[in-house]
């Protein structure tokens, strides 16, 4: 499981955290990100059309690696798998979520925000974790501190990270990739400015 999720980091230094408000935006948005060299797409389960958007992206843009974010329940896990997602991301971790993902064969990037939560996820077999909400819980300083007792754990910090601050996170040895919502600004999506999103995606490759 961990190897599968850790491989996501090999595709580039940033995983966009995507909120889809309108279903018709899903496919052109995915195509715009892929055109900029960003293949791993986390679509959050925060809107009524999220699952349909994931399914549309996975079907119409096969070169994209579509994952479901904000997995909170076993039902979320099952729905994400049914929608064709290739990985899942949770804001926190529970054994029920872990078990459901294993049962479905869905690689999971579980969320943590404290040392105790790192230990809980680690005990369940997860060594690549999402630090969330990264900036709010301590950001770079917390990740540096966690490197001491957890030298074998890698992180994907997400939450509050910007184009300007991403290099600070990506410079850390225990950070393999970071998540960011700045790649898909809502005003660009609303305007259908896919060229802008492609440019933002392309910029991420110079961050590390």
């Amino acid at each position: 499981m961990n190897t599968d999720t850790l491989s996501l980091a090999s595709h580039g230094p940033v995983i966009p955290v995507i909120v889809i408000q309108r279903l018709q935006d899903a496919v052109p948005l995915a195509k715009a990100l892929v055109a900029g060299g960003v293949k791993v797409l986390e679509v959050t389960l925060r809107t009524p059309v999220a699952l349909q958007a994931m399914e549309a992206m996975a079907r119409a843009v096969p070169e994209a690696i579509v994952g479901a974010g904000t997995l909170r329940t076993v039902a979320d896990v099952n729905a994400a798998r049914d929608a064709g997602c290739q990985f899942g991301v949770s804001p926190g971790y529970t054994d029920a979520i872990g078990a459901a993902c294993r049962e479905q064969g869905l690689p999971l990037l579980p969320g943590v925000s404290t040392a105790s939560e790192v230990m809980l996820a680690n005990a369940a077999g997860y060594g690549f974790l999402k630090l969330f909400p990264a900036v709010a819980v301590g950001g770079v300083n917390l990740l540096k501190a966690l490197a001491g007792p957890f030298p074998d754990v890698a992180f994907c910090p997400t939450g509050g990270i910007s184009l300007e601050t991403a290099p600070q996170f990506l410079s850390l040895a225990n950070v393999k990739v970071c998540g960011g919502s700045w790649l898909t600004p809502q005003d660009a999506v609303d305007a259908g400015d896919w060229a802008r999103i492609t440019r933002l995606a392309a910029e991420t490759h110079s961050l590390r």
Side-chain angles (χ1 to χ4, degrees):
M1 298 291 288
N2 295 333
T3 302
D4 289 344
T5 51
L6 190 54
S7 70
L8 298 174
S10 69
H11 296 283
V14 181
I15 296 175
V17 180
I18 303 167
V19 180
I20 298 288
Q21 304 288 352
R22 302 180 305 194
L23 183 57
Q24 64 264 33
D25 294 327
V27 171
L29 175 59
K31 288 181 176 179
L33 289 165
V34 169
V38 173
K39 292 174 57 178
V40 181
L41 314 179
E42 177 192 340
V43 181
T44 61
L45 281 171
R46 299 182 190 177
T47 67
V49 300
L51 285 166
Q52 291 172 278
M54 295 172 200
E55 188 172 5
M57 287 175 166
R59 185 175 60 249
V61 194
E63 59 269 47
I65 301 168
V66 180
T70 327
L71 297 179
R72 296 174 50 196
T73 67
V74 171
D76 289 342
V77 173
N78 296 337
R81 196 51 160 166
D82 289 344
C85 290
Q86 296 182 55
F87 68 97
V89 185
S90 56
Y93 177 76
T94 66
D95 286 332
I97 288 286
C101 285
R102 284 189 289 273
E103 184 177 328
Q104 288 284 358
L106 187 70
L108 175 67
L109 178 59
V112 298
S113 60
T114 67
S116 293
E117 291 168 6
V118 172
M119 291 174 67
L120 177 66
N122 220 195
Y126 295 95
F128 181 42
L129 310 174
K130 165 182 169 175
L131 182 71
F132 177 82
V135 172
V137 298
V140 168
N141 288 335
L142 177 58
L143 286 160
K144 287 180 179 178
L146 290 174
F150 304 109
D152 55 338
V153 177
F155 293 92
C156 169
T158 302
I161 298 173
S162 65
L163 175 64
E164 291 72 32
T165 60
Q168 300 167 29
F169 286 89
L170 293 168
S171 69
L172 302 178
N174 60 345
V175 171
K176 301 303 179 186
V177 64
C178 67
S181 58
W182 80 85
L183 275 72
T184 56
Q186 195 60 52
D187 60 337
V189 175
D190 290 344
D193 190 352
W194 310 122
R196 178 182 167 197
I197 288 173
T198 295
R199 285 195 302 272
L200 290 170
E203 287 175 2
T204 65
H205 301 290
S206 63
L207 294 177
R208 168 176 272 166

